[in-house]
Amino acid sequence: MRKQLYIYFLILSVILMGCANNQEHTSKQGQPNIIYILADDLGYGDVSVYNPSEKITTPNIDRLAESGIRFTDAHSPSSVCTPTRYSILTGQYPWRSRLPKSVLSGYGRALIEQDQQTVASMLKEQGYSTAVIGKWHLGLDWVVKEGREAALEIPVDNPNGAKILTTMNPDDIDFSKPPTDGPLKHGFDYSYILPASLDMEPYCYLKNDTLVELPTGHTEGNDLNTGYTGAFWRAGLMAPGFDMRQVLPTFTSQAENYIRNQKNTEKPYFLYFAMTAPHTPWLPAKDFEGSSQAGDYGDFVTMVDAMVGRVLTALKESGKEENTIVFLASDNGPFWRPAFVEKYDHRAAYIYRGMKADAWDGGHRIPFMVRWPGHIQPGSVSNATTTLANLLATVADITGVNQVKGEDSYSILPVLLGKTDKVPGQDAVVHHSSKGLFAIRYGDWKLIEGRGSGGFSEPVFYDPKPGEAPGQLFNIKDDPSETFDLYQQKTEIVKQLTIKLDSIKHLKSVNDL
């Protein structure tokens, strides 16, 4: 009898274990796919659902917003490329990294630490396939030629305070060998990337951290006297088959193929599609010339919109649209000088002051929207203040991960689901300009630690005269264009926000633990 009971319980245990395993497998299968589309230098006012001025129309992006939730108070963690991308993937403010300010060149070393958690590595541990397609701009550890090891020494007097090489002399690099650090080292199963911005050498593609074609050619650059606008790109090394005008379509095709290839797989996937536009060079295809009333830049934005449409069509055709979350954002504000505002009567930053690189809102207030069929109410609009650093915690919340290592990341899932109009646990958000000027947003108030833009707009920095305020304070609700500086009138608020900013700055980074 005992033997029979033992056999019975043994069989029952095996059955229960099998059920548990099946439940776990089903849970993993039910996890949503995640597509994160990141435009490059797309302004808040470039998207027609935000700015219906009719200078530029973006029907595909508008439809994405209308089928999900659109944020009106979303911000990039930095006002320029590299640092924002660091925050998106790590959940940390970029000034906690080895690059406190500015950006890497195409020859900069890998910025993300080897053992640092990323959105990709976290999702990979949860059984996801992971891919990055497009602009990387987070550094690659290029292999140096034999005898050139001194090229890897970090300058002691780096003006940006970087504890990393931000650039190298290409003559010291052995391009015949693949970089030893790239996307595959940080959680991505598949990568097809451009090293940095499309106006920075080397002009070449890397597939799975290996050069598709060696950059044995050279370009003299283009539109070098335009003030970094128009069809501008720098001189430098270029792969012989590299075509500037085909970069955006090439990456879009790669993204489409990746999505379609997931059609018959049960494994969930994460695609980080980092577009190269409308960042310079402004090179709209012939089909898009004259498609806007804002010159080549506006035409390029309409091309970006069309590429977003192609990706969304591929998703629909894959049959997985209903179980896929789509995020769309920009990495910072637009590079749109006042002369262009006057010439085209188009405000790429909408009503917000400044532009890319600035501490003013024009530098970091961005279009941001999320679609998740069956979960997010279509046509929703949220005024919640949020930053792109919140992706890590949000994805962890969605997929059931209990702990993340990004101390500046907070889940916006409750906002997405319409349960609250504020990001839980997020007391304040910090902004950072290209030249290292800090700002903090707390409720309706925004404090900037110094005078000037801290970026591209004039004045960049301003030394206050005796009796003048050392910083700037604005009520963003009453004065979204940051016109009326209340620093000297609201001294208690200045004190309160200064204390908050200092406490966030001195929060110990996971990189220091």
Side-chain angles (χ1 to χ4, degrees), residues 153-177:
E153 294 178 5
I154 300 173
V156 177
D157 58 346
N158 192 307
N160 293 321
K163 298 176 182 178
I164 181 177
L165 278 174
T166 58
T167 191
M168 294 179 66
N169 185 336
D171 291 340
D172 294 325
I173 297 173
D174 185 349
F175 290 105
S176 69
K177 297 177 181 178

Short mmCIF file of all heavy atoms in Angstrom, two decimals, residues 153-177:
data_model
loop_
_atom_site.label_atom_id
_atom_site.label_comp_id
_atom_site.label_asym_id
_atom_site.label_seq_id
_atom_site.Cartn_x
_atom_site.Cartn_y
_atom_site.Cartn_z
N GLU A 153 45.37 55.58 -24.17
CA GLU A 153 45.53 56.31 -22.91
C GLU A 153 44.52 57.45 -22.84
O GLU A 153 44.38 58.24 -23.78
CB GLU A 153 46.96 56.84 -22.78
CG GLU A 153 48.01 55.76 -22.67
CD GLU A 153 49.42 56.33 -22.59
OE1 GLU A 153 49.55 57.57 -22.53
OE2 GLU A 153 50.38 55.54 -22.59
N ILE A 154 43.82 57.56 -21.72
CA ILE A 154 42.80 58.60 -21.55
C ILE A 154 43.48 59.92 -21.19
O ILE A 154 44.27 59.98 -20.25
CB ILE A 154 41.80 58.21 -20.43
CG1 ILE A 154 41.11 56.89 -20.80
CG2 ILE A 154 40.77 59.31 -20.21
CD1 ILE A 154 40.24 56.35 -19.70
N PRO A 155 43.20 60.99 -21.92
CA PRO A 155 43.81 62.29 -21.62
C PRO A 155 43.48 62.75 -20.19
O PRO A 155 42.34 62.62 -19.74
CB PRO A 155 43.19 63.23 -22.65
CG PRO A 155 42.71 62.34 -23.75
CD PRO A 155 42.31 61.05 -23.09
N VAL A 156 44.46 63.28 -19.52
CA VAL A 156 44.26 63.73 -18.14
C VAL A 156 43.44 65.01 -18.10
O VAL A 156 42.63 65.24 -17.21
CB VAL A 156 45.62 63.96 -17.44
CG1 VAL A 156 45.42 64.51 -16.03
CG2 VAL A 156 46.42 62.67 -17.40
N ASP A 157 43.62 65.88 -19.10
CA ASP A 157 42.99 67.19 -19.10
C ASP A 157 41.78 67.26 -20.03
O ASP A 157 41.52 68.27 -20.67
CB ASP A 157 44.00 68.27 -19.51
CG ASP A 157 44.61 68.00 -20.89
OD1 ASP A 157 44.45 66.87 -21.39
OD2 ASP A 157 45.25 68.92 -21.45
N ASN A 158 41.02 66.17 -20.11
CA ASN A 158 39.84 66.16 -20.98
C ASN A 158 38.87 67.25 -20.55
O ASN A 158 38.42 67.27 -19.40
CB ASN A 158 39.15 64.79 -20.91
CG ASN A 158 38.10 64.62 -21.99
OD1 ASN A 158 37.21 65.44 -22.13
ND2 ASN A 158 38.20 63.54 -22.75
N PRO A 159 38.52 68.19 -21.42
CA PRO A 159 37.66 69.32 -21.04
C PRO A 159 36.25 68.92 -20.61
O PRO A 159 35.58 69.67 -19.92
CB PRO A 159 37.61 70.18 -22.31
CG PRO A 159 37.93 69.24 -23.42
CD PRO A 159 38.89 68.26 -22.85
N ASN A 160 35.82 67.74 -21.01
CA ASN A 160 34.49 67.27 -20.62
C ASN A 160 34.51 66.42 -19.36
O ASN A 160 33.49 65.88 -18.95
CB ASN A 160 33.85 66.48 -21.76
CG ASN A 160 33.56 67.35 -22.97
OD1 ASN A 160 33.13 68.49 -22.81
ND2 ASN A 160 33.81 66.84 -24.16
N GLY A 161 35.68 66.30 -18.74
CA GLY A 161 35.80 65.50 -17.53
C GLY A 161 35.57 64.02 -17.78
O GLY A 161 35.27 63.27 -16.86
N ALA A 162 35.69 63.58 -19.02
CA ALA A 162 35.39 62.20 -19.37
C ALA A 162 36.46 61.24 -18.87
O ALA A 162 37.65 61.52 -18.97
CB ALA A 162 35.23 62.06 -20.88
N LYS A 163 36.00 60.12 -18.36
CA LYS A 163 36.90 59.05 -17.96
C LYS A 163 36.86 57.97 -19.05
O LYS A 163 36.81 56.77 -18.78
CB LYS A 163 36.47 58.48 -16.62
CG LYS A 163 36.51 59.51 -15.49
CD LYS A 163 35.98 58.92 -14.19
CE LYS A 163 35.97 59.97 -13.09
NZ LYS A 163 35.40 59.44 -11.83
N ILE A 164 36.89 58.43 -20.28
CA ILE A 164 36.76 57.55 -21.43
C ILE A 164 37.30 58.31 -22.64
O ILE A 164 37.25 59.54 -22.69
CB ILE A 164 35.28 57.18 -21.66
CG1 ILE A 164 35.12 56.23 -22.85
CG2 ILE A 164 34.43 58.41 -21.85
CD1 ILE A 164 33.66 55.79 -23.06
N LEU A 165 37.83 57.59 -23.61
CA LEU A 165 38.27 58.22 -24.85
C LEU A 165 37.04 58.60 -25.67
O LEU A 165 36.24 57.74 -26.04
CB LEU A 165 39.15 57.27 -25.64
CG LEU A 165 40.62 57.16 -25.25
CD1 LEU A 165 41.30 56.07 -26.06
CD2 LEU A 165 41.33 58.48 -25.47
N THR A 166 36.89 59.87 -25.94
CA THR A 166 35.73 60.30 -26.72
C THR A 166 35.99 60.23 -28.22
O THR A 166 35.05 60.26 -29.01
CB THR A 166 35.34 61.75 -26.34
OG1 THR A 166 36.45 62.60 -26.56
CG2 THR A 166 34.91 61.81 -24.89
N THR A 167 37.26 60.14 -28.61
CA THR A 167 37.60 59.98 -30.02
C THR A 167 39.00 59.39 -30.14
O THR A 167 39.74 59.33 -29.15
CB THR A 167 37.53 61.33 -30.76
OG1 THR A 167 37.60 61.09 -32.18
CG2 THR A 167 38.64 62.27 -30.34
N MET A 168 39.35 58.94 -31.32
CA MET A 168 40.67 58.38 -31.60
C MET A 168 41.11 58.83 -32.98
O MET A 168 40.28 59.25 -33.81
CB MET A 168 40.65 56.84 -31.56
CG MET A 168 40.36 56.24 -30.19
SD MET A 168 40.33 54.43 -30.28
CE MET A 168 42.05 54.08 -30.69
N ASN A 169 42.38 58.71 -33.23
CA ASN A 169 42.90 58.94 -34.58
C ASN A 169 42.68 57.66 -35.39
O ASN A 169 43.17 56.59 -35.00
CB ASN A 169 44.40 59.26 -34.50
CG ASN A 169 44.99 59.62 -35.85
OD1 ASN A 169 44.48 59.24 -36.90
ND2 ASN A 169 46.09 60.36 -35.83
N PRO A 170 41.94 57.73 -36.49
CA PRO A 170 41.67 56.51 -37.25
C PRO A 170 42.93 55.83 -37.77
O PRO A 170 42.90 54.62 -38.05
CB PRO A 170 40.79 57.00 -38.40
CG PRO A 170 41.01 58.47 -38.48
CD PRO A 170 41.30 58.91 -37.09
N ASP A 171 44.03 56.57 -37.86
CA ASP A 171 45.28 55.96 -38.30
C ASP A 171 45.78 54.91 -37.29
O ASP A 171 46.61 54.06 -37.63
CB ASP A 171 46.37 57.02 -38.49
CG ASP A 171 46.08 57.92 -39.67
OD1 ASP A 171 45.29 57.52 -40.55
OD2 ASP A 171 46.63 59.05 -39.71
N ASP A 172 45.29 54.98 -36.05
CA ASP A 172 45.71 54.04 -35.01
C ASP A 172 44.84 52.79 -34.97
O ASP A 172 45.11 51.87 -34.20
CB ASP A 172 45.68 54.71 -33.64
CG ASP A 172 46.71 55.82 -33.50
OD1 ASP A 172 47.79 55.67 -34.08
OD2 ASP A 172 46.42 56.83 -32.81
N ILE A 173 43.77 52.75 -35.78
CA ILE A 173 42.79 51.67 -35.69
C ILE A 173 43.02 50.62 -36.76
O ILE A 173 43.29 50.93 -37.92
CB ILE A 173 41.36 52.24 -35.82
CG1 ILE A 173 41.06 53.19 -34.65
CG2 ILE A 173 40.32 51.13 -35.88
CD1 ILE A 173 39.75 53.93 -34.78
N ASP A 174 42.90 49.36 -36.35
CA ASP A 174 43.00 48.23 -37.29
C ASP A 174 41.57 47.82 -37.66
O ASP A 174 40.91 47.08 -36.93
CB ASP A 174 43.72 47.06 -36.63
CG ASP A 174 43.95 45.90 -37.58
OD1 ASP A 174 43.37 45.92 -38.69
OD2 ASP A 174 44.68 44.96 -37.22
N PHE A 175 41.07 48.33 -38.77
CA PHE A 175 39.70 48.07 -39.17
C PHE A 175 39.48 46.66 -39.70
O PHE A 175 38.34 46.25 -39.93
CB PHE A 175 39.26 49.09 -40.23
CG PHE A 175 39.09 50.48 -39.70
CD1 PHE A 175 40.03 51.47 -39.95
CD2 PHE A 175 37.98 50.81 -38.92
CE1 PHE A 175 39.88 52.75 -39.47
CE2 PHE A 175 37.81 52.09 -38.42
CZ PHE A 175 38.76 53.07 -38.69
N SER A 176 40.56 45.91 -39.88
CA SER A 176 40.41 44.52 -40.35
C SER A 176 39.90 43.61 -39.24
O SER A 176 39.50 42.48 -39.49
CB SER A 176 41.74 43.99 -40.89
OG SER A 176 42.68 43.82 -39.83
N LYS A 177 39.93 44.11 -38.01
CA LYS A 177 39.46 43.32 -36.87
C LYS A 177 38.19 43.94 -36.29
O LYS A 177 38.08 45.16 -36.21
CB LYS A 177 40.55 43.26 -35.80
CG LYS A 177 41.82 42.57 -36.28
CD LYS A 177 42.90 42.60 -35.20
CE LYS A 177 44.17 41.92 -35.70
NZ LYS A 177 45.27 41.97 -34.70
#
